[in-house]
Amino acid sequence: MIRILANDGIEADGQAKMEAAGFEVVTTKVPQDQLAEALKDYDAICVRSATTVRRELIDRVPNLKAIARGGVGMDNIDVEYARSKGIKVVNTPAASSRAVAELVFGHIFTLARGIQVANRDMSTGDFAKLKKGLAGGVQLEGLTLGVVGLGRIGREVARIGLGIGMRIIGSDPYQKHVDVEVPIHGIGTAPVVRVNSLSLHEMLKRADVITLHVPAQDGEALINAEELALLQQDAIIVNTARGGLINEEALLAALEEGKIRGVALDVFEGEPKPDARLLNHPRISVTPHVGAATGEAQRLIGEELADQLIAILG
């Protein structure tokens, strides 16, 4: 019997699909330092972001046939090394795109209207002062949205932006342009808008709102003080991709200088204990790495993982 260790859990429908295919699926969490011994009894492992599968672990489990990552990024897996050992490595790039894109816009709307400040300060009782302080909100229609990374999530973000009347530009070294359908429901074939890919610096100069959808950059920040200095006055920047893409010290400095209207962070350098200055800053909207945390996305992730593992191991 094929045995699967879902070490970071798996949604029930995905588990049921694998069990119907004759697999045994174990969801008991094995601590990282005990994985090498435990995996000797399994054919595959499913992980999210909590479990790492590095070279040292791979070398100790020669019978492992597959590593499945529930989610988009695979920076917690030594992917090429695993594949060089004949291990199949898969992820679920499509399943959570809509969930992440909607979270991005939840943050953008929040920062555009200062909702994060209202939520924190309404309890003080100074209604009139708070109302006056939030009088300078901005509307998103007509603003330019810069999407860094024009993959599945980036394109879904672009679709939503087009739907609310934003202009879209992108930056992706692997794409000259992408075609994005405008989400107008009930009219038959949707119109298509071509989103051109600019250099990162050119895009940063032109965008009112910037959102990041790229993998970790080998320990280097993508957005440093130099890039932050290029932003338009009152720009909004959003990172729901990976902690470390934005230099957090440079970000705090830019906020203190009054350069940026607001910042949204779902991911942090110091997870699971982010810098308290980020969590408490009045112009930062924060969530605890929940981009894919909708019931719909989790169900799709589980089913996509199941389909791939059944195809590999069945």
Side-chain angles (χ1 to χ4, degrees), residues 144-148 169-171 198-212 222-233 235-238 246 259:
T144 298
L145 174 64
V147 182
V148 183
I169 56 177
S171 180
L198 311 175
S199 72
L200 176 62
H201 282 196
E202 181 62 26
M203 194 218 70
L204 293 175
K205 292 176 185 176
R206 294 174 55 181
D208 301 294
V209 181
I210 299 96
T211 178
L212 307 182
L222 182 69
I223 306 296
N224 293 287
E226 178 185 1
E227 286 74 29
L228 291 167
L230 299 174
L231 298 181
Q232 297 192 45
Q233 188 70 33
I236 289 170
I237 187 165
V238 182
I246 304 176
K259 174 71 175 175

PDB file of all heavy atoms in Angstrom, residues 144-148 169-171 198-212 222-233 235-238 246 259:
ATOM      1  N   THR A 144      -3.031  53.543 -10.939  1.00  0.00           N
ATOM      2  CA  THR A 144      -2.216  52.560 -11.645  1.00  0.00           C
ATOM      3  C   THR A 144      -1.728  51.499 -10.677  1.00  0.00           C
ATOM      4  O   THR A 144      -1.075  51.818  -9.668  1.00  0.00           O
ATOM      5  CB  THR A 144      -1.015  53.227 -12.326  1.00  0.00           C
ATOM      6  OG1 THR A 144      -1.490  54.159 -13.297  1.00  0.00           O
ATOM      7  CG2 THR A 144      -0.136  52.193 -13.025  1.00  0.00           C
ATOM      8  N   LEU A 145      -2.055  50.250 -10.970  1.00  0.00           N
ATOM      9  CA  LEU A 145      -1.641  49.107 -10.159  1.00  0.00           C
ATOM     10  C   LEU A 145      -0.450  48.442 -10.815  1.00  0.00           C
ATOM     11  O   LEU A 145      -0.525  48.003 -11.969  1.00  0.00           O
ATOM     12  CB  LEU A 145      -2.794  48.113 -10.035  1.00  0.00           C
ATOM     13  CG  LEU A 145      -2.494  46.786  -9.332  1.00  0.00           C
ATOM     14  CD1 LEU A 145      -2.134  47.021  -7.865  1.00  0.00           C
ATOM     15  CD2 LEU A 145      -3.686  45.831  -9.441  1.00  0.00           C
ATOM     16  N   GLY A 146       0.652  48.358 -10.092  1.00  0.00           N
ATOM     17  CA  GLY A 146       1.852  47.695 -10.586  1.00  0.00           C
ATOM     18  C   GLY A 146       1.965  46.307  -9.991  1.00  0.00           C
ATOM     19  O   GLY A 146       2.030  46.153  -8.772  1.00  0.00           O
ATOM     20  N   VAL A 147       1.982  45.292 -10.856  1.00  0.00           N
ATOM     21  CA  VAL A 147       2.011  43.901 -10.419  1.00  0.00           C
ATOM     22  C   VAL A 147       3.407  43.331 -10.691  1.00  0.00           C
ATOM     23  O   VAL A 147       3.819  43.211 -11.851  1.00  0.00           O
ATOM     24  CB  VAL A 147       0.948  43.063 -11.156  1.00  0.00           C
ATOM     25  CG1 VAL A 147       0.959  41.628 -10.641  1.00  0.00           C
ATOM     26  CG2 VAL A 147      -0.435  43.686 -10.985  1.00  0.00           C
ATOM     27  N   VAL A 148       4.124  42.998  -9.626  1.00  0.00           N
ATOM     28  CA  VAL A 148       5.460  42.425  -9.765  1.00  0.00           C
ATOM     29  C   VAL A 148       5.327  40.906  -9.768  1.00  0.00           C
ATOM     30  O   VAL A 148       5.029  40.296  -8.742  1.00  0.00           O
ATOM     31  CB  VAL A 148       6.388  42.889  -8.614  1.00  0.00           C
ATOM     32  CG1 VAL A 148       7.795  42.350  -8.822  1.00  0.00           C
ATOM     33  CG2 VAL A 148       6.409  44.406  -8.528  1.00  0.00           C
ATOM     34  N   ILE A 169      -0.066  47.834 -14.904  1.00  0.00           N
ATOM     35  CA  ILE A 169       1.246  47.620 -15.505  1.00  0.00           C
ATOM     36  C   ILE A 169       1.915  46.499 -14.729  1.00  0.00           C
ATOM     37  O   ILE A 169       1.516  46.175 -13.605  1.00  0.00           O
ATOM     38  CB  ILE A 169       2.117  48.901 -15.499  1.00  0.00           C
ATOM     39  CG1 ILE A 169       2.273  49.449 -14.064  1.00  0.00           C
ATOM     40  CG2 ILE A 169       1.539  49.949 -16.430  1.00  0.00           C
ATOM     41  CD1 ILE A 169       3.190  50.667 -13.974  1.00  0.00           C
ATOM     42  N   GLY A 170       2.917  45.878 -15.328  1.00  0.00           N
ATOM     43  CA  GLY A 170       3.554  44.751 -14.668  1.00  0.00           C
ATOM     44  C   GLY A 170       5.057  44.808 -14.774  1.00  0.00           C
ATOM     45  O   GLY A 170       5.631  45.622 -15.510  1.00  0.00           O
ATOM     46  N   SER A 171       5.701  43.918 -14.036  1.00  0.00           N
ATOM     47  CA  SER A 171       7.142  43.728 -14.132  1.00  0.00           C
ATOM     48  C   SER A 171       7.436  42.262 -13.908  1.00  0.00           C
ATOM     49  O   SER A 171       7.118  41.711 -12.851  1.00  0.00           O
ATOM     50  CB  SER A 171       7.883  44.584 -13.092  1.00  0.00           C
ATOM     51  OG  SER A 171       9.283  44.383 -13.193  1.00  0.00           O
ATOM     52  N   LEU A 198       7.306  45.883 -17.644  1.00  0.00           N
ATOM     53  CA  LEU A 198       8.349  46.901 -17.622  1.00  0.00           C
ATOM     54  C   LEU A 198       9.497  46.442 -16.729  1.00  0.00           C
ATOM     55  O   LEU A 198       9.386  45.448 -16.006  1.00  0.00           O
ATOM     56  CB  LEU A 198       7.779  48.218 -17.087  1.00  0.00           C
ATOM     57  CG  LEU A 198       6.471  48.722 -17.702  1.00  0.00           C
ATOM     58  CD1 LEU A 198       5.997  49.959 -16.955  1.00  0.00           C
ATOM     59  CD2 LEU A 198       6.647  49.007 -19.173  1.00  0.00           C
ATOM     60  N   SER A 199      10.590  47.174 -16.744  1.00  0.00           N
ATOM     61  CA  SER A 199      11.627  46.927 -15.748  1.00  0.00           C
ATOM     62  C   SER A 199      11.060  47.248 -14.378  1.00  0.00           C
ATOM     63  O   SER A 199      10.120  48.059 -14.242  1.00  0.00           O
ATOM     64  CB  SER A 199      12.853  47.795 -16.019  1.00  0.00           C
ATOM     65  OG  SER A 199      12.565  49.153 -15.709  1.00  0.00           O
ATOM     66  N   LEU A 200      11.604  46.630 -13.345  1.00  0.00           N
ATOM     67  CA  LEU A 200      11.095  46.862 -11.993  1.00  0.00           C
ATOM     68  C   LEU A 200      11.149  48.342 -11.641  1.00  0.00           C
ATOM     69  O   LEU A 200      10.175  48.915 -11.130  1.00  0.00           O
ATOM     70  CB  LEU A 200      11.900  46.042 -10.982  1.00  0.00           C
ATOM     71  CG  LEU A 200      11.518  46.267  -9.516  1.00  0.00           C
ATOM     72  CD1 LEU A 200      10.080  45.854  -9.250  1.00  0.00           C
ATOM     73  CD2 LEU A 200      12.472  45.510  -8.588  1.00  0.00           C
ATOM     74  N   HIS A 201      12.282  48.988 -11.907  1.00  0.00           N
ATOM     75  CA  HIS A 201      12.423  50.392 -11.512  1.00  0.00           C
ATOM     76  C   HIS A 201      11.456  51.289 -12.270  1.00  0.00           C
ATOM     77  O   HIS A 201      10.880  52.226 -11.692  1.00  0.00           O
ATOM     78  CB  HIS A 201      13.874  50.843 -11.722  1.00  0.00           C
ATOM     79  CG  HIS A 201      14.786  50.375 -10.636  1.00  0.00           C
ATOM     80  ND1 HIS A 201      16.039  50.894 -10.422  1.00  0.00           N
ATOM     81  CD2 HIS A 201      14.625  49.419  -9.682  1.00  0.00           C
ATOM     82  CE1 HIS A 201      16.611  50.284  -9.391  1.00  0.00           C
ATOM     83  NE2 HIS A 201      15.765  49.391  -8.926  1.00  0.00           N
ATOM     84  N   GLU A 202      11.247  51.032 -13.559  1.00  0.00           N
ATOM     85  CA  GLU A 202      10.301  51.835 -14.319  1.00  0.00           C
ATOM     86  C   GLU A 202       8.881  51.655 -13.789  1.00  0.00           C
ATOM     87  O   GLU A 202       8.114  52.617 -13.686  1.00  0.00           O
ATOM     88  CB  GLU A 202      10.369  51.463 -15.802  1.00  0.00           C
ATOM     89  CG  GLU A 202       9.448  52.266 -16.691  1.00  0.00           C
ATOM     90  CD  GLU A 202       9.761  53.754 -16.681  1.00  0.00           C
ATOM     91  OE1 GLU A 202      10.921  54.128 -16.410  1.00  0.00           O
ATOM     92  OE2 GLU A 202       8.827  54.545 -16.928  1.00  0.00           O
ATOM     93  N   MET A 203       8.545  50.418 -13.462  1.00  0.00           N
ATOM     94  CA  MET A 203       7.212  50.158 -12.935  1.00  0.00           C
ATOM     95  C   MET A 203       6.993  50.867 -11.602  1.00  0.00           C
ATOM     96  O   MET A 203       5.938  51.454 -11.356  1.00  0.00           O
ATOM     97  CB  MET A 203       6.994  48.653 -12.774  1.00  0.00           C
ATOM     98  CG  MET A 203       5.540  48.264 -12.561  1.00  0.00           C
ATOM     99  SD  MET A 203       5.370  46.911 -11.395  1.00  0.00           S
ATOM    100  CE  MET A 203       5.831  47.743  -9.881  1.00  0.00           C
ATOM    101  N   LEU A 204       7.997  50.808 -10.717  1.00  0.00           N
ATOM    102  CA  LEU A 204       7.877  51.447  -9.404  1.00  0.00           C
ATOM    103  C   LEU A 204       7.667  52.954  -9.532  1.00  0.00           C
ATOM    104  O   LEU A 204       6.952  53.558  -8.730  1.00  0.00           O
ATOM    105  CB  LEU A 204       9.115  51.154  -8.563  1.00  0.00           C
ATOM    106  CG  LEU A 204       9.327  49.703  -8.137  1.00  0.00           C
ATOM    107  CD1 LEU A 204      10.654  49.545  -7.422  1.00  0.00           C
ATOM    108  CD2 LEU A 204       8.190  49.213  -7.248  1.00  0.00           C
ATOM    109  N   LYS A 205       8.269  53.567 -10.525  1.00  0.00           N
ATOM    110  CA  LYS A 205       8.120  55.012 -10.725  1.00  0.00           C
ATOM    111  C   LYS A 205       6.699  55.379 -11.153  1.00  0.00           C
ATOM    112  O   LYS A 205       6.229  56.470 -10.853  1.00  0.00           O
ATOM    113  CB  LYS A 205       9.104  55.490 -11.795  1.00  0.00           C
ATOM    114  CG  LYS A 205      10.559  55.433 -11.412  1.00  0.00           C
ATOM    115  CD  LYS A 205      11.433  55.837 -12.599  1.00  0.00           C
ATOM    116  CE  LYS A 205      12.906  55.674 -12.297  1.00  0.00           C
ATOM    117  NZ  LYS A 205      13.753  55.989 -13.482  1.00  0.00           N
ATOM    118  N   ARG A 206       6.023  54.460 -11.848  1.00  0.00           N
ATOM    119  CA  ARG A 206       4.749  54.794 -12.470  1.00  0.00           C
ATOM    120  C   ARG A 206       3.521  54.348 -11.673  1.00  0.00           C
ATOM    121  O   ARG A 206       2.426  54.854 -11.894  1.00  0.00           O
ATOM    122  CB  ARG A 206       4.690  54.174 -13.873  1.00  0.00           C
ATOM    123  CG  ARG A 206       5.688  54.773 -14.835  1.00  0.00           C
ATOM    124  CD  ARG A 206       5.720  54.045 -16.161  1.00  0.00           C
ATOM    125  NE  ARG A 206       4.406  53.957 -16.784  1.00  0.00           N
ATOM    126  CZ  ARG A 206       4.178  53.352 -17.934  1.00  0.00           C
ATOM    127  NH1 ARG A 206       5.185  52.783 -18.588  1.00  0.00           N
ATOM    128  NH2 ARG A 206       2.962  53.306 -18.439  1.00  0.00           N
ATOM    129  N   ALA A 207       3.689  53.401 -10.759  1.00  0.00           N
ATOM    130  CA  ALA A 207       2.533  52.795 -10.090  1.00  0.00           C
ATOM    131  C   ALA A 207       2.128  53.565  -8.835  1.00  0.00           C
ATOM    132  O   ALA A 207       2.975  54.067  -8.092  1.00  0.00           O
ATOM    133  CB  ALA A 207       2.840  51.353  -9.741  1.00  0.00           C
ATOM    134  N   ASP A 208       0.816  53.633  -8.619  1.00  0.00           N
ATOM    135  CA  ASP A 208       0.291  54.178  -7.360  1.00  0.00           C
ATOM    136  C   ASP A 208       0.204  53.101  -6.285  1.00  0.00           C
ATOM    137  O   ASP A 208       0.332  53.377  -5.095  1.00  0.00           O
ATOM    138  CB  ASP A 208      -1.119  54.745  -7.588  1.00  0.00           C
ATOM    139  CG  ASP A 208      -1.140  55.831  -8.635  1.00  0.00           C
ATOM    140  OD1 ASP A 208      -0.549  56.892  -8.382  1.00  0.00           O
ATOM    141  OD2 ASP A 208      -1.736  55.608  -9.704  1.00  0.00           O
ATOM    142  N   VAL A 209      -0.062  51.872  -6.724  1.00  0.00           N
ATOM    143  CA  VAL A 209      -0.168  50.717  -5.827  1.00  0.00           C
ATOM    144  C   VAL A 209       0.714  49.618  -6.412  1.00  0.00           C
ATOM    145  O   VAL A 209       0.664  49.344  -7.612  1.00  0.00           O
ATOM    146  CB  VAL A 209      -1.628  50.214  -5.722  1.00  0.00           C
ATOM    147  CG1 VAL A 209      -1.716  49.033  -4.762  1.00  0.00           C
ATOM    148  CG2 VAL A 209      -2.558  51.335  -5.285  1.00  0.00           C
ATOM    149  N   ILE A 210       1.528  48.992  -5.555  1.00  0.00           N
ATOM    150  CA  ILE A 210       2.440  47.938  -6.000  1.00  0.00           C
ATOM    151  C   ILE A 210       2.159  46.685  -5.200  1.00  0.00           C
ATOM    152  O   ILE A 210       2.029  46.732  -3.968  1.00  0.00           O
ATOM    153  CB  ILE A 210       3.924  48.341  -5.798  1.00  0.00           C
ATOM    154  CG1 ILE A 210       4.252  49.604  -6.610  1.00  0.00           C
ATOM    155  CG2 ILE A 210       4.849  47.199  -6.175  1.00  0.00           C
ATOM    156  CD1 ILE A 210       4.150  50.879  -5.811  1.00  0.00           C
ATOM    157  N   THR A 211       2.068  45.541  -5.876  1.00  0.00           N
ATOM    158  CA  THR A 211       1.850  44.273  -5.177  1.00  0.00           C
ATOM    159  C   THR A 211       2.837  43.235  -5.687  1.00  0.00           C
ATOM    160  O   THR A 211       3.092  43.139  -6.897  1.00  0.00           O
ATOM    161  CB  THR A 211       0.388  43.811  -5.336  1.00  0.00           C
ATOM    162  OG1 THR A 211       0.202  42.559  -4.687  1.00  0.00           O
ATOM    163  CG2 THR A 211      -0.032  43.697  -6.785  1.00  0.00           C
ATOM    164  N   LEU A 212       3.416  42.464  -4.775  1.00  0.00           N
ATOM    165  CA  LEU A 212       4.502  41.537  -5.088  1.00  0.00           C
ATOM    166  C   LEU A 212       3.990  40.103  -5.173  1.00  0.00           C
ATOM    167  O   LEU A 212       3.316  39.629  -4.257  1.00  0.00           O
ATOM    168  CB  LEU A 212       5.587  41.617  -4.018  1.00  0.00           C
ATOM    169  CG  LEU A 212       6.146  43.011  -3.701  1.00  0.00           C
ATOM    170  CD1 LEU A 212       7.245  42.903  -2.638  1.00  0.00           C
ATOM    171  CD2 LEU A 212       6.675  43.703  -4.944  1.00  0.00           C
ATOM    172  N   LEU A 222      14.095  42.202  -2.667  1.00  0.00           N
ATOM    173  CA  LEU A 222      13.798  42.765  -3.989  1.00  0.00           C
ATOM    174  C   LEU A 222      13.587  44.267  -3.902  1.00  0.00           C
ATOM    175  O   LEU A 222      13.963  45.025  -4.802  1.00  0.00           O
ATOM    176  CB  LEU A 222      12.540  42.093  -4.553  1.00  0.00           C
ATOM    177  CG  LEU A 222      12.097  42.504  -5.950  1.00  0.00           C
ATOM    178  CD1 LEU A 222      13.087  42.011  -7.003  1.00  0.00           C
ATOM    179  CD2 LEU A 222      10.696  41.958  -6.244  1.00  0.00           C
ATOM    180  N   ILE A 223      12.973  44.700  -2.805  1.00  0.00           N
ATOM    181  CA  ILE A 223      12.671  46.117  -2.593  1.00  0.00           C
ATOM    182  C   ILE A 223      13.523  46.625  -1.437  1.00  0.00           C
ATOM    183  O   ILE A 223      13.308  46.265  -0.279  1.00  0.00           O
ATOM    184  CB  ILE A 223      11.174  46.331  -2.284  1.00  0.00           C
ATOM    185  CG1 ILE A 223      10.295  45.705  -3.365  1.00  0.00           C
ATOM    186  CG2 ILE A 223      10.887  47.819  -2.121  1.00  0.00           C
ATOM    187  CD1 ILE A 223      10.428  46.315  -4.739  1.00  0.00           C
ATOM    188  N   ASN A 224      14.510  47.453  -1.759  1.00  0.00           N
ATOM    189  CA  ASN A 224      15.396  48.058  -0.770  1.00  0.00           C
ATOM    190  C   ASN A 224      15.184  49.567  -0.749  1.00  0.00           C
ATOM    191  O   ASN A 224      14.252  50.080  -1.373  1.00  0.00           O
ATOM    192  CB  ASN A 224      16.847  47.712  -1.107  1.00  0.00           C
ATOM    193  CG  ASN A 224      17.154  46.232  -0.944  1.00  0.00           C
ATOM    194  OD1 ASN A 224      17.245  45.738   0.178  1.00  0.00           O
ATOM    195  ND2 ASN A 224      17.288  45.512  -2.056  1.00  0.00           N
ATOM    196  N   ALA A 225      16.050  50.285  -0.047  1.00  0.00           N
ATOM    197  CA  ALA A 225      15.902  51.738   0.041  1.00  0.00           C
ATOM    198  C   ALA A 225      15.915  52.382  -1.340  1.00  0.00           C
ATOM    199  O   ALA A 225      15.160  53.336  -1.604  1.00  0.00           O
ATOM    200  CB  ALA A 225      17.006  52.314   0.924  1.00  0.00           C
ATOM    201  N   GLU A 226      16.761  51.877  -2.235  1.00  0.00           N
ATOM    202  CA  GLU A 226      16.835  52.439  -3.588  1.00  0.00           C
ATOM    203  C   GLU A 226      15.500  52.327  -4.314  1.00  0.00           C
ATOM    204  O   GLU A 226      15.048  53.278  -4.971  1.00  0.00           O
ATOM    205  CB  GLU A 226      17.917  51.703  -4.389  1.00  0.00           C
ATOM    206  CG  GLU A 226      18.042  52.167  -5.829  1.00  0.00           C
ATOM    207  CD  GLU A 226      19.030  51.343  -6.645  1.00  0.00           C
ATOM    208  OE1 GLU A 226      19.617  50.381  -6.086  1.00  0.00           O
ATOM    209  OE2 GLU A 226      19.213  51.657  -7.836  1.00  0.00           O
ATOM    210  N   GLU A 227      14.862  51.182  -4.203  1.00  0.00           N
ATOM    211  CA  GLU A 227      13.580  50.988  -4.872  1.00  0.00           C
ATOM    212  C   GLU A 227      12.464  51.804  -4.197  1.00  0.00           C
ATOM    213  O   GLU A 227      11.615  52.369  -4.881  1.00  0.00           O
ATOM    214  CB  GLU A 227      13.207  49.509  -4.875  1.00  0.00           C
ATOM    215  CG  GLU A 227      13.997  48.652  -5.854  1.00  0.00           C
ATOM    216  CD  GLU A 227      15.434  48.401  -5.402  1.00  0.00           C
ATOM    217  OE1 GLU A 227      15.678  48.380  -4.168  1.00  0.00           O
ATOM    218  OE2 GLU A 227      16.311  48.236  -6.275  1.00  0.00           O
ATOM    219  N   LEU A 228      12.481  51.847  -2.880  1.00  0.00           N
ATOM    220  CA  LEU A 228      11.463  52.621  -2.166  1.00  0.00           C
ATOM    221  C   LEU A 228      11.543  54.101  -2.518  1.00  0.00           C
ATOM    222  O   LEU A 228      10.523  54.794  -2.565  1.00  0.00           O
ATOM    223  CB  LEU A 228      11.610  52.411  -0.665  1.00  0.00           C
ATOM    224  CG  LEU A 228      11.255  51.003  -0.162  1.00  0.00           C
ATOM    225  CD1 LEU A 228      11.734  50.824   1.276  1.00  0.00           C
ATOM    226  CD2 LEU A 228       9.759  50.741  -0.262  1.00  0.00           C
ATOM    227  N   ALA A 229      12.757  54.596  -2.792  1.00  0.00           N
ATOM    228  CA  ALA A 229      12.921  56.005  -3.146  1.00  0.00           C
ATOM    229  C   ALA A 229      12.305  56.339  -4.496  1.00  0.00           C
ATOM    230  O   ALA A 229      12.037  57.512  -4.791  1.00  0.00           O
ATOM    231  CB  ALA A 229      14.413  56.354  -3.168  1.00  0.00           C
ATOM    232  N   LEU A 230      12.053  55.332  -5.323  1.00  0.00           N
ATOM    233  CA  LEU A 230      11.465  55.554  -6.645  1.00  0.00           C
ATOM    234  C   LEU A 230       9.947  55.712  -6.601  1.00  0.00           C
ATOM    235  O   LEU A 230       9.341  56.188  -7.560  1.00  0.00           O
ATOM    236  CB  LEU A 230      11.803  54.387  -7.576  1.00  0.00           C
ATOM    237  CG  LEU A 230      13.277  54.123  -7.855  1.00  0.00           C
ATOM    238  CD1 LEU A 230      13.419  52.842  -8.675  1.00  0.00           C
ATOM    239  CD2 LEU A 230      13.904  55.297  -8.590  1.00  0.00           C
ATOM    240  N   LEU A 231       9.324  55.294  -5.493  1.00  0.00           N
ATOM    241  CA  LEU A 231       7.865  55.266  -5.427  1.00  0.00           C
ATOM    242  C   LEU A 231       7.280  56.670  -5.469  1.00  0.00           C
ATOM    243  O   LEU A 231       7.871  57.635  -4.988  1.00  0.00           O
ATOM    244  CB  LEU A 231       7.410  54.582  -4.139  1.00  0.00           C
ATOM    245  CG  LEU A 231       7.796  53.118  -3.950  1.00  0.00           C
ATOM    246  CD1 LEU A 231       7.249  52.601  -2.630  1.00  0.00           C
ATOM    247  CD2 LEU A 231       7.293  52.264  -5.105  1.00  0.00           C
ATOM    248  N   GLN A 232       6.089  56.756  -6.059  1.00  0.00           N
ATOM    249  CA  GLN A 232       5.367  58.012  -6.038  1.00  0.00           C
ATOM    250  C   GLN A 232       4.949  58.356  -4.609  1.00  0.00           C
ATOM    251  O   GLN A 232       4.780  57.480  -3.765  1.00  0.00           O
ATOM    252  CB  GLN A 232       4.117  57.904  -6.912  1.00  0.00           C
ATOM    253  CG  GLN A 232       4.417  57.665  -8.383  1.00  0.00           C
ATOM    254  CD  GLN A 232       3.183  57.859  -9.224  1.00  0.00           C
ATOM    255  OE1 GLN A 232       2.445  58.823  -9.048  1.00  0.00           O
ATOM    256  NE2 GLN A 232       2.943  56.945 -10.149  1.00  0.00           N
ATOM    257  N   GLN A 233       4.790  59.652  -4.371  1.00  0.00           N
ATOM    258  CA  GLN A 233       4.297  60.077  -3.068  1.00  0.00           C
ATOM    259  C   GLN A 233       2.936  59.449  -2.804  1.00  0.00           C
ATOM    260  O   GLN A 233       2.085  59.381  -3.692  1.00  0.00           O
ATOM    261  CB  GLN A 233       4.169  61.600  -3.033  1.00  0.00           C
ATOM    262  CG  GLN A 233       3.852  62.172  -1.668  1.00  0.00           C
ATOM    263  CD  GLN A 233       5.014  62.048  -0.693  1.00  0.00           C
ATOM    264  OE1 GLN A 233       6.176  62.123  -1.103  1.00  0.00           O
ATOM    265  NE2 GLN A 233       4.721  61.862   0.586  1.00  0.00           N
ATOM    266  N   ALA A 235       2.266  56.297  -2.298  1.00  0.00           N
ATOM    267  CA  ALA A 235       2.100  54.959  -2.871  1.00  0.00           C
ATOM    268  C   ALA A 235       1.714  53.956  -1.785  1.00  0.00           C
ATOM    269  O   ALA A 235       1.979  54.158  -0.593  1.00  0.00           O
ATOM    270  CB  ALA A 235       3.391  54.505  -3.554  1.00  0.00           C
ATOM    271  N   ILE A 236       1.092  52.879  -2.231  1.00  0.00           N
ATOM    272  CA  ILE A 236       0.767  51.735  -1.375  1.00  0.00           C
ATOM    273  C   ILE A 236       1.549  50.538  -1.901  1.00  0.00           C
ATOM    274  O   ILE A 236       1.618  50.321  -3.114  1.00  0.00           O
ATOM    275  CB  ILE A 236      -0.742  51.438  -1.412  1.00  0.00           C
ATOM    276  CG1 ILE A 236      -1.523  52.521  -0.681  1.00  0.00           C
ATOM    277  CG2 ILE A 236      -1.058  50.064  -0.810  1.00  0.00           C
ATOM    278  CD1 ILE A 236      -3.031  52.436  -0.858  1.00  0.00           C
ATOM    279  N   ILE A 237       2.136  49.760  -1.006  1.00  0.00           N
ATOM    280  CA  ILE A 237       2.864  48.563  -1.416  1.00  0.00           C
ATOM    281  C   ILE A 237       2.369  47.367  -0.605  1.00  0.00           C
ATOM    282  O   ILE A 237       2.138  47.479   0.606  1.00  0.00           O
ATOM    283  CB  ILE A 237       4.397  48.750  -1.292  1.00  0.00           C
ATOM    284  CG1 ILE A 237       5.139  47.558  -1.886  1.00  0.00           C
ATOM    285  CG2 ILE A 237       4.819  49.029   0.143  1.00  0.00           C
ATOM    286  CD1 ILE A 237       6.610  47.835  -2.135  1.00  0.00           C
ATOM    287  N   VAL A 238       2.192  46.227  -1.279  1.00  0.00           N
ATOM    288  CA  VAL A 238       1.590  45.038  -0.675  1.00  0.00           C
ATOM    289  C   VAL A 238       2.513  43.844  -0.896  1.00  0.00           C
ATOM    290  O   VAL A 238       2.982  43.600  -2.011  1.00  0.00           O
ATOM    291  CB  VAL A 238       0.214  44.732  -1.309  1.00  0.00           C
ATOM    292  CG1 VAL A 238      -0.424  43.521  -0.646  1.00  0.00           C
ATOM    293  CG2 VAL A 238      -0.703  45.937  -1.231  1.00  0.00           C
ATOM    294  N   ILE A 246      10.840  42.540   0.867  1.00  0.00           N
ATOM    295  CA  ILE A 246      11.009  43.957   1.171  1.00  0.00           C
ATOM    296  C   ILE A 246      11.962  44.086   2.358  1.00  0.00           C
ATOM    297  O   ILE A 246      11.790  43.411   3.376  1.00  0.00           O
ATOM    298  CB  ILE A 246       9.669  44.628   1.521  1.00  0.00           C
ATOM    299  CG1 ILE A 246       8.660  44.436   0.389  1.00  0.00           C
ATOM    300  CG2 ILE A 246       9.877  46.116   1.795  1.00  0.00           C
ATOM    301  CD1 ILE A 246       7.275  44.989   0.710  1.00  0.00           C
ATOM    302  N   LYS A 259       6.973  59.038   2.988  1.00  0.00           N
ATOM    303  CA  LYS A 259       7.010  58.785   1.551  1.00  0.00           C
ATOM    304  C   LYS A 259       5.850  57.898   1.093  1.00  0.00           C
ATOM    305  O   LYS A 259       5.338  58.055  -0.008  1.00  0.00           O
ATOM    306  CB  LYS A 259       8.350  58.112   1.210  1.00  0.00           C
ATOM    307  CG  LYS A 259       8.498  57.642  -0.235  1.00  0.00           C
ATOM    308  CD  LYS A 259       8.644  58.802  -1.187  1.00  0.00           C
ATOM    309  CE  LYS A 259       8.906  58.321  -2.607  1.00  0.00           C
ATOM    310  NZ  LYS A 259       8.942  59.412  -3.576  1.00  0.00           N
TER     311      LYS A 259
END
